[in-house]
Amino acid sequence: MTSVAPAVAPGSASAKQPRVRFAPSPTGFLHVGGARTALFNWLFAKKFGGQFLLRIEDTDRQRSTDESTRAIFEGLEWLGLTWDEEVVYQGANVARHYADAHRLLETGAAYRDFTPAAELDRLRAEAEARGEVFRFDRARVMLSEAEVASKLAANEPFAIRFKVPEGETAWDDLVHERIAFPNKDIEDFVILRSDGTPVYNMAVVSDDIAMRITLVMRGDDHISNTPKQILLYRALGADEPQFGHVPMIHGADGKKLSKRHGATAVGDYQHQGLLPQSMLNFLALLGWSPGDDTEVMTLAELVEKFHVRGLQKKAAVFDTKKLEWMNGQHLAQIPIAELAAIVAPMFERAGLATAADLSARAEWFHGVLELLRVRARLTDEIVAQAGPFFTDTVEYDPDAVSKLWRDANAAAGILQATHDRLASLDAWEPAAMEEALRTLAESLGISGGKIFQPLRVALFGLTVSPGIFDVLLYVGRDRSLARIAAAVQFLKNG
Ligand code: GLU
């Protein structure tokens, strides 16, 4: 990470440290859209020397699960989007949400609504039957003090509703500039249900105040919540934060990204062989642009280039092909030791080598990875193509055999000669091997390819592999010679 002094956050009069948060509801896996919101907040915090906080919005007991909470942690950790303070669990703050709602009741900013839920449902259904939009009517439910006192004495349940004042509610959105809602379009919304539980807007505002959040950056599907939240801040006498609403993510067909479009969970991409930096880079460009043509950026570069001016209003398109391309770019440029650390557990899982073995032979392993990474877009592909470097023997692909060993006798003869030339070399290094084999080809009056192709099948079992001299080098002298000898036997017995 760069160590330059942090920039001053836009909109802040001083170098006040921004505090931002990611506030997922743990009702499923970590969605790529959520990860993108987390990333923008994280980048903002890093860019401006502030704090990135994590709040798990688990007030919906029915739908929240520990498994989702774990998936959120794992996804964020895999991406490296670590949070700066202890995780806040919204469900632990219900007493404060309740107290804040009651404070609004005491100041007259809110009132009790004793209307039974069934009656509201009936009114709503009647309005719909008339083809009208149901409008909540404050005059119908606001009672005199005496009526309230008698209902309270009778222990009748009530919800608390916010009394939306006249006028308009507006803010300067970090992404959309000025957004204004006429208050007449905002009905008196419930802040505390009759069972004493807070609704989303109340819980979020109460928590954002307690966490001293200075910027709320989230998906623009929340824009309609923002005027309600601003009204709550004002009624609670709290400074309102800045708001920024980032665009939705769509699939290639222009519809909101869903499972129909393929994997939408961050964890799925992790297990498909994507590097975290590719995912981050790709997500950053969904709704943000650095303002020039740069596309491939490390996380440190993203922090350096991040600016809210680059946040876009229009929906972003999730293009899986681009994500794979991006991964290929990162695979090619990531420091090799870093790549080794990421793929070592995958090699272990595939049964090719233990992590201890790989670290004992780090130089060799790094060399193998150098050969394979240029041909791969996913880390899985690296592991899938690495087999012949690790196993003692190779399996011959029938296609390769029928194509490149068609004349078994001739192939056996060439391979035997190849074996003998290579065995006579003093040094097992590519330049000497190449020289020896080209001289052999000349003396046999054949092209180099006629030697290299059968050799490739003997060493790799396939028609394609990294450069043949690199293969010889990394398979190693003894194993290479043994494989060529085995191929000669195979062809003679065939
Ligand atoms: N829990 C809400 C969500 O996941 C948070 C919205 C917000 O950031 O205020 O959409």
Side-chain angles (χ1 to χ4, degrees):
M1 196 74 27
T2 43
S3 60
V4 291
V8 174
S12 64
S14 64
K16 184 168 102 175
Q17 281 197 342
R19 289 171 65 84
V20 294
R21 84 311 193 265
F22 173 48
S25 308
T27 53
F29 45 73
L30 176 62
H31 188 270
V32 287
R36 197 269 321 251
T37 300
L39 172 61
F40 285 163
N41 278 288
W42 189 93
L43 288 172
F44 190 95
K46 297 300 146 187
K47 176 84 188 185
F48 301 112
Q51 258 83 45
F52 169 73
L53 312 184
L54 177 61
R55 180 171 73 230
I56 301 293
E57 304 217 314
D58 56 351
T59 39
D60 184 344
R61 289 283 150 91
Q62 303 278 299
R63 296 178 58 227
S64 302
T65 66
D66 289 346
E67 200 192 340
S68 308
T69 303
R70 262 197 310 278
I72 291 167
F73 292 163
E74 277 167 19
L76 292 176
E77 275 162 4
W78 175 63
L79 290 170
L81 302 179
T82 45
W83 44 99
D84 296 316
E85 291 177 9
E86 247 179 75
V87 179
V88 172
Y89 291 89
Q90 187 159 63
N93 297 326
V94 182
R96 170 164 39 67
H97 308 151
Y98 180 93
D100 281 344
H102 276 266
R103 196 143 62 84
L104 294 174
L105 189 59
E106 276 153 32
T107 60
Y111 58 91
R112 293 181 180 86
D113 176 4
F114 290 92
T115 320
E119 190 180 333
L120 271 178
D121 290 345
R122 184 177 58 77
L123 291 170
R124 199 167 276 125
E126 279 175 11
E128 264 170 36
R130 288 194 303 272
E132 292 168 10
V133 181
F134 173 71
R135 286 200 66 90
F136 179 80
D137 181 4
R138 182 188 299 165
R140 275 192 95 257
V141 304
M142 277 234 323
L143 305 175
S144 69
E145 269 182 42
E147 284 168 315
V148 168
S150 95
K151 283 186 183 290
L152 284 179
N155 254 338
E156 282 192 35
F158 60 88
I160 299 183
R161 274 187 194 271
F162 186 75
K163 197 164 150 191
V164 175
E166 310 228 306
E168 97 171 354
T169 305
W171 72 95
D172 290 317
D173 196 90
L174 218 53
V175 181
H176 296 265
E177 288 139 39
R178 191 144 186 92
I179 300 184
F181 281 80
N183 289 2
K184 66 173 172 42
D185 292 345
I186 310 170
E187 73 173 27
D188 285 358
F189 50 97
V190 170
I191 51 177
L192 201 72
R193 300 186 190 91
S194 57
D195 63 2
T197 59
V199 300
Y200 160 74
N201 283 315
M202 183 73 241
V204 164
V205 170
S206 180
D207 285 352
D208 282 338
I209 294 172
M211 289 163 77
R212 292 176 285 117
I213 297 302
T214 61
L215 164 66
V216 170
M217 187 160 30
R218 58 189 170 196
D220 62 17
D221 51 338
H222 280 288
I223 286 183
S224 62
N225 284 317
T226 303
K228 296 179 183 171
Q229 296 185 7
I230 290 176
L231 289 169
L232 289 176
Y233 277 97
R234 293 180 184 163
L236 287 165
D239 286 341
E240 58 206 61
Q242 273 191 297
F243 289 91
H245 292 90
V246 296
M248 291 287 98
I249 301 177
H250 288 172
D253 57 0
K255 305 229 166 76
K256 198 171 166 196
L257 191 68
S258 76
K259 284 208 179 127
R260 281 182 302 112
H261 296 104
T264 53
V266 168
D268 290 341
Y269 287 99
Q270 174 180 4
H271 298 118
Q272 279 173 16
L274 231 39
L275 294 172
Q277 47 269 70
S278 318
M279 192 80 215
L280 287 167
N281 190 166
F282 174 75
L283 290 175
L285 295 176
L286 292 178
W288 175 79
S289 150
D292 56 28
D293 296 339
T294 322
E295 288 211 291
V296 181
M297 289 167 273
T298 62
L299 189 53
E301 285 163 343
L302 286 173
V303 173
E304 199 183 302
K305 286 180 180 283
F306 187 75
H307 197 285
V308 290
R309 271 198 313 275
L311 290 170
Q312 291 153 0
K313 297 188 185 73
K314 62 174 195 315
V317 176
F318 194 95
D319 175 355
T320 338
K321 291 238 158 41
K322 179 156 181 189
L323 175 54
E324 284 190 8
W325 169 82
M326 186 73 86
N327 203 54
Q329 300 294 308
H330 280 276
L331 269 184
Q333 73 169 40
I334 180 176
I336 202 74
E338 221 177 285
L339 179 61
I342 291 172
V343 296
M346 301 169 71
F347 276 82
E348 189 155 71
R349 271 199 301 279
L352 292 176
T354 64
D357 180 28
L358 294 176
S359 74
R361 299 201 292 160
E363 200 180 324
W364 174 82
F365 183 42
H366 292 179
V368 169
L369 291 179
E370 288 288 9
L371 297 184
L372 295 175
R373 69 162 158 183
V374 292
R375 316 167 65 85
R377 283 164 315 143
L378 298 170
T379 47
D380 284 13
E381 294 170 358
I382 293 184
V383 182
Q385 290 165 9
F389 290 108
F390 289 84
T391 49
D392 284 333
T393 55
V394 286
E395 274 177 37
Y396 307 130
D397 168 34
D399 272 0
V401 171
S402 64
K403 215 159 123 197
L404 303 173
W405 285 354
R406 199 173 327 135
D407 181 342
N409 263 337
I414 290 173
L415 283 169
Q416 186 62 55
T418 304
H419 176 279
D420 297 345
R421 279 294 165 100
L422 291 173
S424 71
L425 290 175
D426 294 332
W428 197 253
E429 53 95 12
M433 294 181 220
E434 179 161 6
E435 150 111 66
L437 294 189
R438 289 208 187 273
T439 317
L440 173 65
E442 250 167 61
S443 70
L444 294 176
I446 56 176
S447 68
K450 288 274 183 286
I451 290 188
F452 306 147
Q453 293 290 47
L455 179 57
R456 190 183 307 282
V457 185
L459 295 172
F460 231 69
L462 303 171
T463 53
V464 289
S465 76
I468 197 70
F469 303 107
D470 287 327
V471 172
L472 282 164
L473 181 66
Y474 283 95
V475 169
R477 185 177 196 279
D478 294 350
R479 277 197 307 172
S480 294
L481 293 175
R483 276 182 203 183
I484 303 169
V488 171
Q489 275 313 312
F490 174 90
L491 286 163
K492 283 190 172 160
N493 296 340

